[in-house]
mmCIF file of all heavy atoms in Angstrom:
data_model
loop_
_atom_site.group_PDB
_atom_site.id
_atom_site.type_symbol
_atom_site.label_atom_id
_atom_site.label_comp_id
_atom_site.label_asym_id
_atom_site.label_seq_id
_atom_site.Cartn_x
_atom_site.Cartn_y
_atom_site.Cartn_z
ATOM 1 N N MET A 939 -37.733 -13.393 4.818
ATOM 2 C CA MET A 939 -36.351 -13.582 4.384
ATOM 3 C C MET A 939 -35.759 -12.283 3.837
ATOM 4 O O MET A 939 -34.634 -11.930 4.169
ATOM 5 C CB MET A 939 -36.322 -14.696 3.319
ATOM 6 C CG MET A 939 -34.947 -15.133 2.939
ATOM 7 S SD MET A 939 -34.204 -15.972 4.337
ATOM 8 C CE MET A 939 -32.708 -16.499 3.639
ATOM 9 N N ILE A 940 -36.546 -11.571 3.032
ATOM 10 C CA ILE A 940 -36.074 -10.299 2.483
ATOM 11 C C ILE A 940 -35.858 -9.295 3.603
ATOM 12 O O ILE A 940 -34.887 -8.546 3.609
ATOM 13 C CB ILE A 940 -37.060 -9.755 1.412
ATOM 14 C CG1 ILE A 940 -36.978 -10.654 0.170
ATOM 15 C CG2 ILE A 940 -36.723 -8.325 1.052
ATOM 16 C CD1 ILE A 940 -37.960 -10.292 -0.902
ATOM 17 N N ARG A 941 -36.768 -9.287 4.578
ATOM 18 C CA ARG A 941 -36.624 -8.380 5.725
ATOM 19 C C ARG A 941 -35.306 -8.637 6.453
ATOM 20 O O ARG A 941 -34.620 -7.702 6.848
ATOM 21 C CB ARG A 941 -37.791 -8.566 6.706
ATOM 22 C CG ARG A 941 -39.067 -7.968 6.222
ATOM 23 C CD ARG A 941 -39.373 -6.770 7.110
ATOM 24 N NE ARG A 941 -40.662 -6.231 6.800
ATOM 25 C CZ ARG A 941 -40.848 -5.129 6.087
ATOM 26 N NH1 ARG A 941 -39.828 -4.481 5.621
ATOM 27 N NH2 ARG A 941 -42.047 -4.675 5.855
ATOM 28 N N GLN A 942 -34.992 -9.917 6.645
ATOM 29 C CA GLN A 942 -33.743 -10.276 7.333
ATOM 30 C C GLN A 942 -32.536 -9.779 6.532
ATOM 31 O O GLN A 942 -31.579 -9.260 7.088
ATOM 32 C CB GLN A 942 -33.672 -11.803 7.529
ATOM 33 C CG GLN A 942 -32.477 -12.263 8.333
ATOM 34 C CD GLN A 942 -32.477 -11.714 9.751
ATOM 35 O OE1 GLN A 942 -33.532 -11.554 10.360
ATOM 36 N NE2 GLN A 942 -31.305 -11.421 10.273
ATOM 37 N N TYR A 943 -32.605 -9.932 5.223
ATOM 38 C CA TYR A 943 -31.526 -9.477 4.343
ATOM 39 C C TYR A 943 -31.366 -7.956 4.436
ATOM 40 O O TYR A 943 -30.258 -7.444 4.586
ATOM 41 C CB TYR A 943 -31.845 -9.904 2.898
ATOM 42 C CG TYR A 943 -30.854 -9.434 1.874
ATOM 43 C CD1 TYR A 943 -29.591 -10.003 1.802
ATOM 44 C CD2 TYR A 943 -31.179 -8.429 0.979
ATOM 45 C CE1 TYR A 943 -28.666 -9.576 0.863
ATOM 46 C CE2 TYR A 943 -30.267 -7.999 0.032
ATOM 47 C CZ TYR A 943 -29.003 -8.575 -0.018
ATOM 48 O OH TYR A 943 -28.098 -8.143 -0.947
ATOM 49 N N GLU A 944 -32.501 -7.227 4.419
ATOM 50 C CA GLU A 944 -32.467 -5.773 4.532
ATOM 51 C C GLU A 944 -31.877 -5.357 5.879
ATOM 52 O O GLU A 944 -31.069 -4.430 5.966
ATOM 53 C CB GLU A 944 -33.868 -5.187 4.376
ATOM 54 C CG GLU A 944 -34.405 -5.241 2.967
ATOM 55 C CD GLU A 944 -35.871 -4.831 2.878
ATOM 56 O OE1 GLU A 944 -36.569 -4.785 3.917
ATOM 57 O OE2 GLU A 944 -36.323 -4.560 1.751
ATOM 58 N N ARG A 945 -32.290 -6.053 6.918
ATOM 59 C CA ARG A 945 -31.771 -5.735 8.258
ATOM 60 C C ARG A 945 -30.260 -5.974 8.336
ATOM 61 O O ARG A 945 -29.525 -5.172 8.909
ATOM 62 C CB ARG A 945 -32.508 -6.565 9.306
ATOM 63 C CG ARG A 945 -32.019 -6.328 10.714
ATOM 64 C CD ARG A 945 -33.044 -6.714 11.757
ATOM 65 N NE ARG A 945 -32.504 -6.670 13.092
ATOM 66 C CZ ARG A 945 -32.149 -5.568 13.744
ATOM 67 N NH1 ARG A 945 -32.273 -4.400 13.163
ATOM 68 N NH2 ARG A 945 -31.657 -5.618 14.973
ATOM 69 N N THR A 946 -29.812 -7.077 7.744
ATOM 70 C CA THR A 946 -28.381 -7.381 7.729
ATOM 71 C C THR A 946 -27.608 -6.297 6.994
ATOM 72 O O THR A 946 -26.556 -5.833 7.469
ATOM 73 C CB THR A 946 -28.138 -8.754 7.073
ATOM 74 O OG1 THR A 946 -28.877 -9.751 7.798
ATOM 75 C CG2 THR A 946 -26.671 -9.126 7.102
ATOM 76 N N LEU A 947 -28.110 -5.867 5.845
ATOM 77 C CA LEU A 947 -27.454 -4.787 5.101
ATOM 78 C C LEU A 947 -27.419 -3.509 5.925
ATOM 79 O O LEU A 947 -26.413 -2.804 5.949
ATOM 80 C CB LEU A 947 -28.176 -4.533 3.765
ATOM 81 C CG LEU A 947 -27.965 -5.571 2.677
ATOM 82 C CD1 LEU A 947 -28.783 -5.195 1.452
ATOM 83 C CD2 LEU A 947 -26.502 -5.688 2.315
ATOM 84 N N TRP A 948 -28.515 -3.214 6.606
ATOM 85 C CA TRP A 948 -28.588 -2.011 7.436
ATOM 86 C C TRP A 948 -27.563 -2.074 8.573
ATOM 87 O O TRP A 948 -26.849 -1.109 8.844
ATOM 88 C CB TRP A 948 -30.012 -1.870 7.987
ATOM 89 C CG TRP A 948 -30.204 -0.679 8.851
ATOM 90 C CD1 TRP A 948 -30.393 0.601 8.436
ATOM 91 C CD2 TRP A 948 -30.231 -0.640 10.282
ATOM 92 N NE1 TRP A 948 -30.534 1.431 9.528
ATOM 93 C CE2 TRP A 948 -30.438 0.695 10.665
ATOM 94 C CE3 TRP A 948 -30.097 -1.617 11.263
ATOM 95 C CZ2 TRP A 948 -30.510 1.073 11.993
ATOM 96 C CZ3 TRP A 948 -30.176 -1.235 12.589
ATOM 97 C CH2 TRP A 948 -30.374 0.106 12.945
ATOM 98 N N LEU A 949 -27.469 -3.240 9.211
ATOM 99 C CA LEU A 949 -26.506 -3.412 10.305
ATOM 100 C C LEU A 949 -25.074 -3.277 9.807
ATOM 101 O O LEU A 949 -24.234 -2.632 10.450
ATOM 102 C CB LEU A 949 -26.693 -4.786 10.974
ATOM 103 C CG LEU A 949 -27.931 -4.923 11.861
ATOM 104 C CD1 LEU A 949 -28.123 -6.378 12.265
ATOM 105 C CD2 LEU A 949 -27.840 -4.037 13.074
ATOM 106 N N LEU A 950 -24.793 -3.869 8.641
ATOM 107 C CA LEU A 950 -23.444 -3.756 8.071
ATOM 108 C C LEU A 950 -23.112 -2.304 7.751
ATOM 109 O O LEU A 950 -22.003 -1.834 7.983
ATOM 110 C CB LEU A 950 -23.321 -4.619 6.812
ATOM 111 C CG LEU A 950 -23.238 -6.117 7.047
ATOM 112 C CD1 LEU A 950 -23.324 -6.860 5.724
ATOM 113 C CD2 LEU A 950 -21.969 -6.489 7.781
ATOM 114 N N SER A 951 -24.084 -1.591 7.239
ATOM 115 C CA SER A 951 -23.886 -0.180 6.913
ATOM 116 C C SER A 951 -23.589 0.608 8.191
ATOM 117 O O SER A 951 -22.688 1.450 8.216
ATOM 118 C CB SER A 951 -25.139 0.372 6.231
ATOM 119 O OG SER A 951 -25.055 1.755 6.090
ATOM 120 N N ASN A 952 -24.318 0.337 9.242
ATOM 121 C CA ASN A 952 -24.083 1.014 10.527
ATOM 122 C C ASN A 952 -22.699 0.693 11.069
ATOM 123 O O ASN A 952 -22.018 1.575 11.605
ATOM 124 C CB ASN A 952 -25.146 0.608 11.564
ATOM 125 C CG ASN A 952 -26.385 1.447 11.435
ATOM 126 O OD1 ASN A 952 -26.440 2.355 10.617
ATOM 127 N ND2 ASN A 952 -27.387 1.147 12.228
ATOM 128 N N GLU A 953 -22.290 -0.572 10.951
ATOM 129 C CA GLU A 953 -20.960 -0.970 11.423
ATOM 130 C C GLU A 953 -19.873 -0.202 10.675
ATOM 131 O O GLU A 953 -18.920 0.274 11.263
ATOM 132 C CB GLU A 953 -20.749 -2.489 11.233
ATOM 133 C CG GLU A 953 -21.464 -3.338 12.242
ATOM 134 C CD GLU A 953 -20.980 -3.096 13.658
ATOM 135 O OE1 GLU A 953 -19.761 -3.031 13.881
ATOM 136 O OE2 GLU A 953 -21.836 -2.966 14.548
ATOM 137 N N ARG A 954 -20.050 -0.073 9.371
ATOM 138 C CA ARG A 954 -19.057 0.630 8.556
ATOM 139 C C ARG A 954 -18.992 2.099 8.967
ATOM 140 O O ARG A 954 -17.926 2.671 9.099
ATOM 141 C CB ARG A 954 -19.429 0.487 7.074
ATOM 142 C CG ARG A 954 -18.242 0.414 6.172
ATOM 143 C CD ARG A 954 -18.561 0.148 4.718
ATOM 144 N NE ARG A 954 -19.933 0.146 4.335
ATOM 145 C CZ ARG A 954 -20.608 -0.917 3.907
ATOM 146 N NH1 ARG A 954 -20.006 -2.075 3.814
ATOM 147 N NH2 ARG A 954 -21.861 -0.832 3.562
ATOM 148 N N ASN A 955 -20.168 2.712 9.183
ATOM 149 C CA ASN A 955 -20.200 4.113 9.609
ATOM 150 C C ASN A 955 -19.546 4.292 10.968
ATOM 151 O O ASN A 955 -18.804 5.257 11.192
ATOM 152 C CB ASN A 955 -21.632 4.639 9.651
ATOM 153 C CG ASN A 955 -22.219 4.832 8.266
ATOM 154 O OD1 ASN A 955 -21.489 4.930 7.290
ATOM 155 N ND2 ASN A 955 -23.528 4.867 8.172
ATOM 156 N N SER A 956 -19.808 3.370 11.896
ATOM 157 C CA SER A 956 -19.214 3.447 13.225
ATOM 158 C C SER A 956 -17.700 3.314 13.145
ATOM 159 O O SER A 956 -16.968 4.039 13.817
ATOM 160 C CB SER A 956 -19.775 2.343 14.132
ATOM 161 O OG SER A 956 -21.122 2.616 14.422
ATOM 162 N N ALA A 957 -17.231 2.394 12.315
ATOM 163 C CA ALA A 957 -15.787 2.198 12.169
ATOM 164 C C ALA A 957 -15.138 3.459 11.614
ATOM 165 O O ALA A 957 -14.069 3.875 12.068
ATOM 166 C CB ALA A 957 -15.514 1.000 11.258
ATOM 167 N N SER A 958 -15.799 4.092 10.668
ATOM 168 C CA SER A 958 -15.270 5.325 10.080
ATOM 169 C C SER A 958 -15.209 6.442 11.125
ATOM 170 O O SER A 958 -14.209 7.150 11.238
ATOM 171 C CB SER A 958 -16.139 5.751 8.902
ATOM 172 O OG SER A 958 -15.706 6.969 8.380
ATOM 173 N N LYS A 959 -16.262 6.566 11.915
ATOM 174 C CA LYS A 959 -16.280 7.585 12.976
ATOM 175 C C LYS A 959 -15.198 7.304 14.012
ATOM 176 O O LYS A 959 -14.524 8.221 14.488
ATOM 177 C CB LYS A 959 -17.643 7.626 13.656
ATOM 178 C CG LYS A 959 -18.718 8.280 12.826
ATOM 179 C CD LYS A 959 -20.053 8.267 13.546
ATOM 180 C CE LYS A 959 -21.168 8.752 12.646
ATOM 181 N NZ LYS A 959 -22.480 8.591 13.259
ATOM 182 N N ASN A 960 -15.036 6.019 14.362
ATOM 183 C CA ASN A 960 -14.015 5.654 15.342
ATOM 184 C C ASN A 960 -12.626 6.014 14.845
ATOM 185 O O ASN A 960 -11.798 6.524 15.596
ATOM 186 C CB ASN A 960 -14.082 4.163 15.675
ATOM 187 C CG ASN A 960 -15.266 3.820 16.549
ATOM 188 O OD1 ASN A 960 -15.853 4.692 17.166
ATOM 189 N ND2 ASN A 960 -15.627 2.555 16.595
ATOM 190 N N LYS A 961 -12.366 5.742 13.557
ATOM 191 C CA LYS A 961 -11.049 6.083 12.991
ATOM 192 C C LYS A 961 -10.809 7.582 13.057
ATOM 193 O O LYS A 961 -9.722 8.027 13.386
ATOM 194 C CB LYS A 961 -10.965 5.609 11.533
ATOM 195 C CG LYS A 961 -10.745 4.134 11.382
ATOM 196 C CD LYS A 961 -10.663 3.755 9.906
ATOM 197 C CE LYS A 961 -10.605 2.268 9.737
ATOM 198 N NZ LYS A 961 -10.691 1.867 8.322
ATOM 199 N N LYS A 962 -11.853 8.363 12.757
ATOM 200 C CA LYS A 962 -11.703 9.829 12.813
ATOM 201 C C LYS A 962 -11.443 10.283 14.238
ATOM 202 O O LYS A 962 -10.608 11.153 14.478
ATOM 203 C CB LYS A 962 -12.958 10.509 12.256
ATOM 204 C CG LYS A 962 -13.085 10.398 10.756
ATOM 205 C CD LYS A 962 -14.360 11.032 10.264
ATOM 206 C CE LYS A 962 -14.543 10.792 8.777
ATOM 207 N NZ LYS A 962 -15.859 11.214 8.316
ATOM 208 N N ASN A 963 -12.156 9.693 15.198
ATOM 209 C CA ASN A 963 -11.970 10.068 16.608
ATOM 210 C C ASN A 963 -10.558 9.703 17.083
ATOM 211 O O ASN A 963 -9.906 10.493 17.766
ATOM 212 C CB ASN A 963 -13.006 9.379 17.499
ATOM 213 C CG ASN A 963 -14.389 9.966 17.316
ATOM 214 O OD1 ASN A 963 -14.527 11.075 16.826
ATOM 215 N ND2 ASN A 963 -15.399 9.223 17.705
ATOM 216 N N ILE A 964 -10.102 8.517 16.695
ATOM 217 C CA ILE A 964 -8.757 8.082 17.089
ATOM 218 C C ILE A 964 -7.713 9.021 16.494
ATOM 219 O O ILE A 964 -6.772 9.438 17.159
ATOM 220 C CB ILE A 964 -8.504 6.618 16.659
ATOM 221 C CG1 ILE A 964 -9.358 5.682 17.530
ATOM 222 C CG2 ILE A 964 -7.031 6.262 16.755
ATOM 223 C CD1 ILE A 964 -9.409 4.254 17.035
ATOM 224 N N ARG A 965 -7.902 9.380 15.219
ATOM 225 C CA ARG A 965 -6.953 10.282 14.559
ATOM 226 C C ARG A 965 -6.926 11.636 15.275
ATOM 227 O O ARG A 965 -5.862 12.200 15.514
ATOM 228 C CB ARG A 965 -7.356 10.474 13.084
ATOM 229 C CG ARG A 965 -6.210 10.917 12.220
ATOM 230 C CD ARG A 965 -6.540 10.866 10.735
ATOM 231 N NE ARG A 965 -6.939 9.556 10.277
ATOM 232 C CZ ARG A 965 -8.096 9.283 9.668
ATOM 233 N NH1 ARG A 965 -8.955 10.232 9.407
ATOM 234 N NH2 ARG A 965 -8.392 8.072 9.288
ATOM 235 N N ALA A 966 -8.093 12.136 15.653
ATOM 236 C CA ALA A 966 -8.161 13.428 16.354
ATOM 237 C C ALA A 966 -7.437 13.345 17.695
ATOM 238 O O ALA A 966 -6.703 14.266 18.069
ATOM 239 C CB ALA A 966 -9.612 13.838 16.562
ATOM 240 N N ILE A 967 -7.633 12.251 18.408
ATOM 241 C CA ILE A 967 -6.963 12.074 19.703
ATOM 242 C C ILE A 967 -5.458 11.990 19.508
ATOM 243 O O ILE A 967 -4.686 12.620 20.249
ATOM 244 C CB ILE A 967 -7.503 10.822 20.425
ATOM 245 C CG1 ILE A 967 -8.952 11.066 20.858
ATOM 246 C CG2 ILE A 967 -6.630 10.454 21.626
ATOM 247 C CD1 ILE A 967 -9.680 9.836 21.318
ATOM 248 N N GLN A 968 -5.028 11.233 18.479
ATOM 249 C CA GLN A 968 -3.596 11.108 18.223
ATOM 250 C C GLN A 968 -2.977 12.474 17.908
ATOM 251 O O GLN A 968 -1.844 12.744 18.294
ATOM 252 C CB GLN A 968 -3.341 10.138 17.066
ATOM 253 C CG GLN A 968 -3.568 8.695 17.453
ATOM 254 C CD GLN A 968 -3.495 7.752 16.274
ATOM 255 O OE1 GLN A 968 -3.795 8.121 15.144
ATOM 256 N NE2 GLN A 968 -3.114 6.521 16.535
ATOM 257 N N GLU A 969 -3.725 13.312 17.230
ATOM 258 C CA GLU A 969 -3.207 14.643 16.913
ATOM 259 C C GLU A 969 -3.105 15.523 18.157
ATOM 260 O O GLU A 969 -2.304 16.446 18.202
ATOM 261 C CB GLU A 969 -4.099 15.310 15.852
ATOM 262 C CG GLU A 969 -3.958 14.678 14.475
ATOM 263 C CD GLU A 969 -4.965 15.194 13.461
ATOM 264 O OE1 GLU A 969 -5.753 16.101 13.795
ATOM 265 O OE2 GLU A 969 -4.959 14.682 12.338
ATOM 266 N N MET A 970 -3.928 15.243 19.161
ATOM 267 C CA MET A 970 -3.900 16.042 20.399
ATOM 268 C C MET A 970 -2.795 15.606 21.359
ATOM 269 O O MET A 970 -2.398 16.376 22.230
ATOM 270 C CB MET A 970 -5.244 15.937 21.129
ATOM 271 C CG MET A 970 -6.359 16.701 20.472
ATOM 272 S SD MET A 970 -7.824 16.761 21.521
ATOM 273 C CE MET A 970 -8.468 15.116 21.360
ATOM 274 N N ILE A 971 -2.294 14.387 21.207
ATOM 275 C CA ILE A 971 -1.320 13.851 22.165
ATOM 276 C C ILE A 971 -0.087 14.741 22.335
ATOM 277 O O ILE A 971 0.313 15.007 23.469
ATOM 278 C CB ILE A 971 -0.958 12.382 21.815
ATOM 279 C CG1 ILE A 971 -2.153 11.487 22.129
ATOM 280 C CG2 ILE A 971 0.280 11.924 22.575
ATOM 281 C CD1 ILE A 971 -1.999 10.049 21.703
ATOM 282 N N PRO A 972 0.534 15.239 21.254
ATOM 283 C CA PRO A 972 1.711 16.095 21.469
ATOM 284 C C PRO A 972 1.397 17.342 22.306
ATOM 285 O O PRO A 972 2.185 17.706 23.179
ATOM 286 C CB PRO A 972 2.124 16.484 20.040
ATOM 287 C CG PRO A 972 1.605 15.387 19.185
ATOM 288 C CD PRO A 972 0.317 14.962 19.834
ATOM 289 N N ALA A 973 0.263 17.968 22.057
ATOM 290 C CA ALA A 973 -0.101 19.164 22.831
ATOM 291 C C ALA A 973 -0.353 18.805 24.291
ATOM 292 O O ALA A 973 0.044 19.545 25.194
ATOM 293 C CB ALA A 973 -1.335 19.826 22.222
ATOM 294 N N ILE A 974 -0.986 17.686 24.522
ATOM 295 C CA ILE A 974 -1.259 17.247 25.903
ATOM 296 C C ILE A 974 0.061 16.945 26.612
ATOM 297 O O ILE A 974 0.279 17.356 27.757
ATOM 298 C CB ILE A 974 -2.188 16.009 25.912
ATOM 299 C CG1 ILE A 974 -3.575 16.404 25.401
ATOM 300 C CG2 ILE A 974 -2.277 15.401 27.301
ATOM 301 C CD1 ILE A 974 -4.487 15.241 25.104
ATOM 302 N N THR A 975 0.955 16.255 25.908
ATOM 303 C CA THR A 975 2.268 15.930 26.486
ATOM 304 C C THR A 975 3.023 17.206 26.824
ATOM 305 O O THR A 975 3.612 17.330 27.905
ATOM 306 C CB THR A 975 3.087 15.075 25.486
ATOM 307 O OG1 THR A 975 2.326 13.913 25.164
ATOM 308 C CG2 THR A 975 4.418 14.676 26.064
ATOM 309 N N GLN A 976 3.001 18.160 25.911
ATOM 310 C CA GLN A 976 3.686 19.437 26.141
ATOM 311 C C GLN A 976 3.119 20.148 27.368
ATOM 312 O O GLN A 976 3.847 20.672 28.196
ATOM 313 C CB GLN A 976 3.554 20.327 24.898
ATOM 314 C CG GLN A 976 4.369 21.589 24.963
ATOM 315 C CD GLN A 976 5.867 21.312 24.995
ATOM 316 O OE1 GLN A 976 6.347 20.350 24.437
ATOM 317 N NE2 GLN A 976 6.603 22.150 25.685
ATOM 318 N N SER A 977 1.802 20.111 27.490
ATOM 319 C CA SER A 977 1.137 20.741 28.632
ATOM 320 C C SER A 977 1.555 20.080 29.942
ATOM 321 O O SER A 977 1.829 20.760 30.931
ATOM 322 C CB SER A 977 -0.377 20.654 28.444
ATOM 323 O OG SER A 977 -1.041 21.142 29.567
ATOM 324 N N ILE A 978 1.631 18.766 29.930
ATOM 325 C CA ILE A 978 2.044 18.037 31.134
ATOM 326 C C ILE A 978 3.487 18.408 31.507
ATOM 327 O O ILE A 978 3.794 18.644 32.668
ATOM 328 C CB ILE A 978 1.907 16.507 30.922
ATOM 329 C CG1 ILE A 978 0.421 16.131 30.841
ATOM 330 C CG2 ILE A 978 2.604 15.730 32.026
ATOM 331 C CD1 ILE A 978 0.152 14.723 30.371
ATOM 332 N N LEU A 979 4.346 18.456 30.494
ATOM 333 C CA LEU A 979 5.751 18.811 30.756
ATOM 334 C C LEU A 979 5.869 20.222 31.315
ATOM 335 O O LEU A 979 6.638 20.473 32.242
ATOM 336 C CB LEU A 979 6.583 18.670 29.479
ATOM 337 C CG LEU A 979 6.782 17.236 28.980
ATOM 338 C CD1 LEU A 979 7.472 17.244 27.628
ATOM 339 C CD2 LEU A 979 7.563 16.414 29.993
ATOM 340 N N LEU A 980 5.089 21.156 30.753
ATOM 341 C CA LEU A 980 5.133 22.524 31.251
ATOM 342 C C LEU A 980 4.634 22.587 32.691
ATOM 343 O O LEU A 980 5.230 23.261 33.532
ATOM 344 C CB LEU A 980 4.289 23.438 30.364
ATOM 345 C CG LEU A 980 4.877 23.750 28.986
ATOM 346 C CD1 LEU A 980 3.869 24.520 28.150
ATOM 347 C CD2 LEU A 980 6.166 24.533 29.124
ATOM 348 N N ASN A 981 3.550 21.865 32.982
ATOM 349 C CA ASN A 981 3.031 21.855 34.357
ATOM 350 C C ASN A 981 4.039 21.254 35.311
ATOM 351 O O ASN A 981 4.206 21.728 36.430
ATOM 352 C CB ASN A 981 1.711 21.087 34.424
ATOM 353 C CG ASN A 981 0.571 21.863 33.792
ATOM 354 O OD1 ASN A 981 0.613 23.077 33.719
ATOM 355 N ND2 ASN A 981 -0.436 21.163 33.318
ATOM 356 N N SER A 982 4.732 20.213 34.867
ATOM 357 C CA SER A 982 5.742 19.573 35.709
ATOM 358 C C SER A 982 6.873 20.547 36.024
ATOM 359 O O SER A 982 7.338 20.626 37.163
ATOM 360 C CB SER A 982 6.324 18.333 35.018
ATOM 361 O OG SER A 982 5.311 17.396 34.781
ATOM 362 N N SER A 983 7.317 21.275 35.019
ATOM 363 C CA SER A 983 8.413 22.216 35.266
ATOM 364 C C SER A 983 7.951 23.359 36.162
ATOM 365 O O SER A 983 8.716 23.847 36.990
ATOM 366 C CB SER A 983 8.986 22.737 33.947
ATOM 367 O OG SER A 983 8.028 23.480 33.247
#
């Protein structure tokens, strides 16, 4: 029973870390969007 509890805590901790990494990755991508858009517009012209 204790092992199951420890495993559950470990899994929850991993989920939280993954969510944090995902938020950082999404933020980084969102910051790149204007530059990518500008590049596309320049290539189009």
